[in-house]
Amino acid sequence: MTVAAPRTAANAYGWFDEEAREYVITRPDTPTPWINYLGEGRYGGIVSNTGGGFSFDRDPRNRRVTRYRYNGVPADQPGRYIYIRDQDTGEFWSPTWQPVRRPLDAYECRHGMGYTRIRGSLGGVEAQVLYFVPPAGADEACPCEIWALRIVNTGPSTRRLRTFTYVEFSFGDAVSDQQNLDWSQHIVSSRFEHNAILAGTRFRAETSWFASGEPPLGYTGDREAFVGRGRDLANPIVVVTGEPTNQGSPRGNSVGSLCHEIVLEPGEDRELTFALGVTDEPVLIPGVMARYDDRHEAQQAFDALRADWDAYLGRFTVETPDADTNAMLNVWNQVQCRTTLYWSRFVSGYESGLGRGMGTRDCAQDTLGTMHTVPGQAAQALERTWAVQFADGHAWHLYFPLTGEGGPGLAAERPEWPQWFSDDHLWLVIATCAYLRESGDTAFLDRAVPFDDGGTGTVFEHMLRAIAFTLAHRGPHGLPRIGFSDWDDTLNVDHGSGLAESVWCAMQFCRALLDLADLCEHLGRTEDAARFRDRKAEMAAIVDACAWDGAWYARAFDDEGRPVGVAGETHHEVNLIPQAWSVIGEVASRDRALLAMATVDARLDTPFGLAALDPPYDGFELRVGGTSTYPPGAKENGGIFCHANAWAIVAAAALGRGDDAYRYYRQVLPLARTDADCFLTEPYVYAQNICGPTHPQFGMARNAWLTGTAAWTYVAATQWILGIRPTHRGLLVAPAIPVSWPGFRAHREFRGVAYEIQARRDGPGDEVVLRVDGMPVDGTVIPLPAPGTRHVAVDVVIR
Ligand code: GLC
C-alpha cells in the first residue's frame, strides 16, 4: 500500500513546513496574535508572531518575570523586542514588526517546537531573532531564555547601527503588579551590573534580569525614561534620539533595554546573544551569560532542546492519506498536548496566568494526550493532582503549581450553591487507568499521596474514594448529583437544593467503573472487578430508565427533578455530550446509541463542527445558570465546543462508523481551515470553541491552545479512528477509518517496543484481521511480546 498525502493547504497568512516541522507565518498582521510557547513546563512563556508575550518561572501568577497587556490597544504588547536604528539617518524599525510596526521589506515567523524564529528586513539590513529556553538541568537556579540575534548588511554600503532591546519587568506576584499599583511601583527598582539590568525588591531575593553577552554601549532601566512623555513603544524617545539614559529605575516601571553599536560592511553579519531570566541568586547571572555567549554552548542548548522534542514526537508517527491529519498527529497536536500537560488552562493568549491555576479535571484529561511519550511527566501530573483530593473523595477544582494551594474555582462566586464538581475526581480515575494501560506501571497504584485535608492513601485508595464519593452523592433518581456543575462548567442546575442530577456524569461514572473493573481484573482483584461491574450495570439501568427521551438522552435533572435537554423545551432540546457518552460509557444499547448519534447528526452538525446544544438559550435563565449568560451560538450555549466534538469522534468510531468519525474529525481540524479571516486563531492548534450556526460570526474560533480538545482529538484520532489502543493485555489495533482510505502506516512505541503497523483496506466493512510478525492473531489485541523484543511488525487488513 502506498500512502500518498498531498501537502497541507496554505492560508493567507501562513503554511506548515513539513520538513522543518515549523508553522511559517508570512505576514505580521495575522487576524489574532498567533502564538507559541517557549520552555518545557518550568521557566518559559508565550511568544506571538510579532514578538509579543511574556515570561514566568513555573507559575505565571506567583513568579512572573515580564508583563503583557492582555486585550490592549495596540494589540499584543509588550513583548521581547529589538529596535534597530540607523545612526546616519535616524530611522528605526523592528524585525518582529512590533512594536514599531513599520512596514518591512520581508518578514517571516517560524514557530517550532519550543522555539520561535522571526526574521525581518528593511532597506538592506536583515535581522533574525531566535527565542528559546535551554532544556531544564544546567541552569536550575538561574533559569533563562535566550534571544539569539543575527544582523546582516545585505546592501551595498557600510551601515552604522544601534540596537535597543526592550522587555518590561513585572513584580513576581503578577496580581499585585496589576492591582496594588502604589505598593508594587514603590518596591520594584532596577540597576545595571555585569552587562545586565536587574529588577527586584529589597525584601525578596527574587531578581529578574536581562543581560547581553557583549558589554552594551549603554542601558535604560526605567520605562518612562525609555518611552518619553506623550509617546509609546512605537516611537520611544531613547530610540528616536539613539541615546540610552544609562540609569536604572528607582521605582515605578523597570525595563530591560540594552544598547549595542554595530558597524557592518556590505555582506558582513554580527551576532548578539541576550538572555532574560529570574533567580534568587544574582551572582549566577555572569556565569550563565558567559556560557550562552559562547556560540557553541548556545547552539548545544538549542540542539538539546530540538533533540528532546524529536524524541517526544518520535514515539508515535503516522502516515495517512490526509496531509492535514499527518501534520497534526505528527507535530502540532502533540505539541499542543504537551503544552496543556504543562499549563492546563492557566496561561495563553486568552488565559492571563493570574487566576485559573491548574484545573483538576483539565490536568487529568491532559495527561491522556502525553502518556504514550512522556509517561513519567504524565504520572507526575496525576500524582500532583490526586493530592488535591479530599478524604471524602471529591477534589479541589483547581490548584496553583508553585504552592500546591487548591481552590473551588468558579464555584466560589456562588457560595450558596454546591462547592464541588461532580466530575473532577472521576477524571482522575479514568486518566489513572489509562496511564496503567499505557505504561503497565502497577507500582504507581501503591504510591502514597496525601489527601488535601489530612491523611495519606495510596493512589488505588484515592481511586476508591473517588468512586465512593459519587456513590454517596446521588439524587432522587439515583444519578450522581451534579454539584456546582459537571464537565460543562456553565450548566448550573443545583441552586442549593442538593437534588439536581447529571445524566452525563452518570455515563462518565460508568466509564470510570468499567476502567477500574478492567484494571482490577488485570490485578487479580476479581471481587472488586465484579463489584464495579455491578455498580456500572445499576447506573446504566438507571440512566436508561429515566433519561432516554425517545431518540436521545436527556442532559440533566434540575432542582425540581425536571429534565434538561429533552424534546418540547423552547431552548436546549438536545445536548451533544450525553449522546456521545452513552457510547463511551457503554450505557446505551446499540440501537439507542445509533439513534442518539443520528439525532446528533440531524440536530447539531455543521460544516465547522457539532454544536454543543440546540436550540440555544436567548437570555439568562436561572434554571441553567452560566450557559444562558452566553449569546446564542457562543461557547457552551450552542457554540461548537471542540472538546466535546472529540467525544463524538470516539463514539462514532466505537460504533464502527469510520466515515462519521472522520467527518467529525475533519470538521474541527484547524489545519483544514484555510479561511483564516473567518477562523481567526492559529491554524496549527485547536481552539476551545468555534461560534455556532446561530451566531453572527459562525465559524470564528476563540481561545486557542489550552483546551481539552488537544488531548481528546489526539486520543480520538490515534486510538479510535486509527484504532491503536493500549490495553492491560497488549496493544489493540481496531481501525475505524473512512471507507475512502486505502489504509495507513504507523510507528507506535508501546512499553519499550516499536510496533510498525501497516493497515490496508480490503473491503468496505470494519472487520479487522491481524498478523503479527507474519503470524495470524485472534481478535484485535496483540499479546505483549517476549521480554527483549524491540520491534513488532503488525499487518492489518480491514474488510
Ligand atoms: C473550559 C474549562 C473546562 C470545562 C469546559 C466546559 O474548557 O477549562 O474545565 O470542562 O470549559 O465547560
Side-chain angles (χ1 to χ4, degrees):
M1 191 229 17
T2 52
V3 181
R7 296 190 150 255
T8 55
N11 61 62
Y13 302 87
W15 56 287
F16 175 64
D17 180 338
E18 267 146 89
E19 270 72 46
R21 294 186 295 185
E22 293 167 336
Y23 196 85
V24 186
I25 301 166
T26 50
R27 285 169 54 166
D29 57 340
T30 46
T32 57
W34 285 4
I35 71 160
N36 194 14
Y37 285 75
L38 302 178
E40 294 188 314
R42 293 174 62 82
Y43 178 92
I46 59 171
V47 59
S48 77
N49 59 307
T50 60
F54 64 101
S55 300
F56 53 88
D57 179 30
R58 285 167 286 165
D59 184 331
R61 186 176 93 158
N62 295 313
R63 208 164 152 93
R64 180 78 64 113
V65 177
T66 59
R67 285 188 190 145
Y68 185 64
R69 280 177 274 286
Y70 277 90
N71 205 18
V73 174
D76 189 24
Q77 287 196 5
R80 302 171 178 82
Y81 294 143
I82 290 165
Y83 297 84
I84 297 175
R85 182 181 195 275
D86 187 300
Q87 289 298 94
D88 294 316
T89 65
E91 287 192 354
F92 59 89
W93 55 286
S94 304
T96 54
W97 187 64
Q98 288 255 42
V100 179
R101 298 197 302 283
R102 193 161 159 191
L104 301 172
D105 293 342
Y107 159 91
E108 185 184 81
C109 166
R110 286 179 168 260
H111 285 320
M113 294 100 63
Y115 68 90
T116 285
R117 199 193 296 270
I118 305 176
R119 186 161 55 82
S121 59
L122 190 69
V125 174
E126 184 183 294
Q128 170 181 292
V129 53
L130 167 69
Y131 304 102
F132 72 97
V133 175
D139 304 307
E140 205 71 349
C142 195
C144 67
E145 67 193 59
I146 306 294
W147 307 7
L149 173 67
R150 179 165 183 267
I151 305 190
V152 193
N153 179 357
T154 57
S157 49
T158 305
R159 302 296 291 265
R160 289 193 318 118
L161 307 170
R162 276 188 184 177
T163 60
F164 298 84
T165 61
Y166 184 87
V167 289
E168 198 170 315
F169 292 113
S170 169
F171 175 44
D173 171 347
V175 173
S176 292
D177 188 70
Q178 295 194 16
Q179 286 181 356
N180 196 347
L181 290 178
D182 184 44
W183 184 59
S184 62
Q185 300 234 325
H186 264 306
I187 59 174
V188 181
S189 62
S190 71
R191 62 184 194 279
F192 181 78
E193 259 171 39
H194 308 299
N195 299 347
I197 294 182
L198 277 56
T201 64
R202 286 161 195 268
F203 74 103
R204 280 191 186 177
E206 191 175 320
T207 303
S208 298
W209 55 277
F210 184 83
S212 66
E214 281 193 31
L217 176 78
Y219 68 94
T220 308
D222 183 79
R223 186 181 75 180
E224 277 58 43
F226 181 83
V227 175
R229 293 193 191 170
R231 295 173 175 276
D232 58 41
L233 291 180
N235 59 1
I237 191 70
V238 160
V239 182
V240 169
T241 59
E243 297 302 332
T245 65
N246 296 328
Q247 283 184 340
S249 179
R251 60 166 296 286
N253 300 294
S254 294
V255 299
S257 180
L258 300 178
C259 171
H260 288 81
E261 187 146 80
I262 299 176
V263 178
L264 292 177
E265 298 305 327
E268 204 184 350
D269 73 277
R270 188 65 190 281
E271 290 183 16
L272 288 173
T273 306
F274 302 98
L276 167 66
V278 62
T279 180
D280 294 336
E281 296 169 58
V283 288
L284 297 175
I285 298 170
V288 168
M289 213 47 237
R291 218 146 60 66
Y292 292 119
D293 195 38
D294 177 322
R295 216 177 287 176
H296 182 66
E297 290 235 18
Q299 184 63 42
Q300 264 187 346
F302 186 57
D303 291 346
L305 177 77
R306 300 210 60 171
D308 180 65
W309 278 98
D310 286 348
Y312 174 84
L313 295 175
R315 298 197 179 94
F316 198 167
T317 57
V318 305
E319 244 181 287
T320 77
D322 178 348
D324 299 323
T325 297
N326 297 343
M328 290 304 290
L329 295 183
N330 293 334
V331 187
W332 283 99
N333 194 180
Q334 291 205 65
V335 172
Q336 188 178 4
C337 284
R338 198 177 192 183
T339 309
T340 58
L341 178 75
Y342 291 151
W343 299 120
S344 180
R345 312 293 170 266
F346 202 0
V347 54
S348 72
Y350 306 79
E351 301 292 356
S352 64
L354 297 178
R356 288 194 59 166
M358 309 291 281
T360 300
R361 76 157 77 91
D362 302 321
C363 285
Q365 291 172 87
D366 295 341
T367 64
L368 299 173
T370 49
M371 49 185 59
H372 66 286
T373 177
V374 282
Q377 288 179 17
Q380 233 172 36
L382 287 173
E383 192 174 336
R384 196 176 60 179
T385 313
W386 273 120
V388 299
Q389 187 189 33
F390 292 82
D392 73 357
H394 84 289
W396 278 127
H397 192 53
L398 55 76
Y399 61 94
F400 292 93
L402 207 55
T403 59
E405 171 203 348
L410 276 177
E413 290 169 19
R414 302 303 296 248
E416 70 282 17
W417 295 357
Q419 294 297 292
W420 49 270
F421 295 68
S422 48
D423 65 324
D424 279 326
H425 51 286
L426 296 176
W427 286 119
L428 279 164
V429 174
I430 290 172
T432 300
C433 292
Y435 169 69
L436 268 286
R437 289 194 297 270
E438 177 70 52
S439 64
D441 173 19
T442 44
F444 182 70
L445 294 171
D446 300 327
R447 261 192 229 178
V449 178
F451 292 103
D452 193 274
D453 51 345
T456 295
T458 62
V459 169
F460 192 74
E461 280 159 10
H462 278 261
M463 295 212 280
L464 298 184
R465 305 258 181 131
I467 299 296
F469 181 86
T470 300
L471 283 173
H473 292 76
R474 291 192 289 159
H477 295 92
L479 299 170
R481 283 180 53 198
I482 196 166
F484 182 81
S485 81
D486 57 24
W487 167 83
D488 179 349
D489 276 326
T490 68
L491 185 69
N492 316 120
V493 287
D494 187 332
H495 307 112
S497 69
L499 298 174
E501 298 169 302
S502 168
V503 173
W504 171 81
C505 185
M507 296 167 168
Q508 183 205 20
F509 186 55
C510 287
R511 184 69 262 158
L513 288 166
L514 287 176
D515 288 353
L516 209 46
D518 189 31
L519 174 64
C520 288
E521 262 147 30
H522 172 64
L523 297 174
R525 291 169 169 260
T526 39
E527 274 174 31
D528 285 336
R531 188 161 53 90
F532 293 133
R533 285 198 193 283
D534 288 349
R535 292 284 99 86
K536 184 264 166 179
E538 282 162 24
M539 187 57 79
I542 295 171
V543 171
D544 253 341
C546 73
W548 179 249
D549 192 41
W552 65 88
Y553 286 94
R555 174 68 179 83
F557 289 91
D558 69 11
D559 283 322
E560 289 157 23
R562 283 182 299 150
V564 177
V566 290
E569 296 279 286
T570 317
H571 307 294
H572 196 171
E573 277 193 302
V574 185
N575 188 295
L576 171 60
I577 69 172
Q579 319 322 323
W581 277 80
S582 72
V583 181
I584 299 172
E586 298 184 30
V587 169
S589 65
R590 185 168 173 86
D591 286 351
R592 282 194 171 182
L594 290 173
L595 206 49
M597 291 306 288
T599 302
V600 163
D601 254 334
R603 296 288 301 268
L604 305 174
D605 195 29
T606 85
F608 299 132
L610 298 161
L613 60 81
D614 185 67
Y617 296 96
D618 194 10
F620 186 68
E621 293 192 19
L622 181 63
R623 181 173 178 233
V624 293
T627 313
S628 61
T629 60
Y630 287 111
K635 298 251 298 191
E636 288 93 336
N637 189 20
I640 294 155
F641 216 89
C642 300
H643 185 157
N645 275 247
W647 294 331
I649 302 168
V650 174
L655 289 169
R657 301 286 174 115
D659 278 343
D660 289 343
Y662 180 60
R663 175 165 50 90
Y664 298 152
Y665 180 68
R666 278 288 303 183
Q667 285 174 171
V668 292
L669 195 69
L671 268 183
R673 287 289 299 268
T674 52
D675 54 343
D677 285 306
C678 171
F679 191 60
L680 303 192
T681 62
E682 294 88 323
Y684 41 92
V685 289
Y686 288 94
Q688 182 212 55
N689 69 93
I690 297 170
C691 289
T694 52
H695 193 280
Q697 285 165 295
F698 179 36
M700 182 199 94
R702 283 281 300 169
N703 206 345
W705 277 98
L706 297 186
T707 157
T709 316
W712 272 105
T713 48
Y714 187 72
V715 167
T718 56
Q719 299 192 17
W720 293 92
I721 296 180
L722 302 183
I724 306 169
R725 287 200 286 288
T727 76
H728 297 298
R729 291 163 291 280
L731 196 63
L732 176 150
V733 184
I737 55 172
V739 172
S740 62
W741 280 16
F744 67 88
R745 273 198 287 263
H747 161 90
R748 188 359 166 145
E749 290 172 28
F750 175 61
R751 305 203 193 173
V753 179
Y755 291 74
E756 307 300 339
I757 301 168
Q758 296 244 22
R760 180 167 56 85
R761 190 175 265 301
D762 195 25
D766 60 357
E767 190 201 342
V768 169
V769 181
L770 289 189
R771 289 178 85 84
V772 175
D773 288 330
M775 304 296 289
V777 162
D778 276 345
T780 50
V781 176
I782 304 162
L784 292 170
T789 308
R790 306 288 288 275
H791 299 276
V792 170
V794 185
D795 191 52
V796 188
V797 175
I798 306 154
R799 56 187 195 201

